[in-house]
Amino acid sequence: MKDVYIFPAVFQKSPEGISIYFPDLPGCLPCADTFENAFKNAREALQLHIFGMEEDGEEIPAPTSPEKIKIVKDEMIALIEVEMSPFREKMKNKSTNKVVKIPVWLDILARKKKINYSGFLQESLKNYLGVA
């Protein structure tokens, strides 16, 4: 897995805003209302798209050279660079909600002891699985 990717993005300006597409990554289609937001959104979308491909075990394609990409009026090409290590770490440490059912009597005892369910469950799972 590479740590840094650089892909060309095509920015299409119209009265409605800015649409962006990555010729090498079908389905990666961010948009924005300003160029400042467009670059930010392009970077975030590229990170999410690559992360999803990695998680699905898909091969990340080689980027097309910008001079080989044909553009039309009101379009421009920009290279978008992303560093994946910090993003992967952020995504893997995201919290998720789980529904847990316990008997009422156990809930009453836990509340009396002021048990934090999230913290207790996380610590218990880590201990059970032998992870730090």
Side-chain angles (χ1 to χ4, degrees):
M1 241 185 286
K2 285 175 55 176
D3 193 43
V4 175
Y5 290 92
I6 302 172
F7 277 91
V10 177
F11 291 70
Q12 301 172 316
K13 186 160 177 33
S14 74
E16 292 81 37
I18 302 161
S19 299
I20 307 145
Y21 71 91
F22 291 85
D24 303 303
L25 302 167
C28 188
L29 303 164
C31 60
D33 53 353
T34 66
F35 274 107
E36 182 179 312
N37 287 337
F39 280 96
K40 178 180 158 280
N41 293 353
R43 189 168 184 273
E44 289 175 0
L46 181 57
Q47 286 175 315
L48 278 169
H49 197 85
I50 289 172
F51 181 78
M53 291 179 74
E54 291 173 346
E55 289 291 296
D56 292 343
E58 296 178 35
E59 187 175 330
I60 310 297
T64 300
S65 180
E67 61 268 7
K68 292 183 179 179
I69 299 171
K70 303 229 185 295
I71 59 173
V72 296
K73 184 180 182 238
D74 295 327
E75 289 185 340
M76 66 175 242
I77 296 174
L79 294 176
I80 306 298
E81 180 178 359
V82 294
E83 187 176 348
M84 292 303 294
S85 288
F87 187 77
R88 286 182 195 113
E89 190 66 28
K90 175 183 163 187
M91 293 301 287
K92 296 206 183 228
N93 284 315
K94 259 179 104 172
S95 294
T96 183
N97 289 326
K98 296 292 176 195
V99 175
V100 178
K101 292 184 180 184
I102 61 171
V104 171
W105 64 267
L106 190 57
D107 181 47
I108 291 169
L109 288 174
R111 281 189 286 146
K112 283 182 183 176
K113 295 281 185 178
K114 298 185 180 182
I115 300 287
N116 174 317
Y117 285 110
S118 289
F120 185 80
L121 180 59
Q122 285 181 49
E123 194 59 38
S124 297
L125 282 170
K126 287 176 186 175
N127 289 334
Y128 182 80
L129 297 170
V131 295

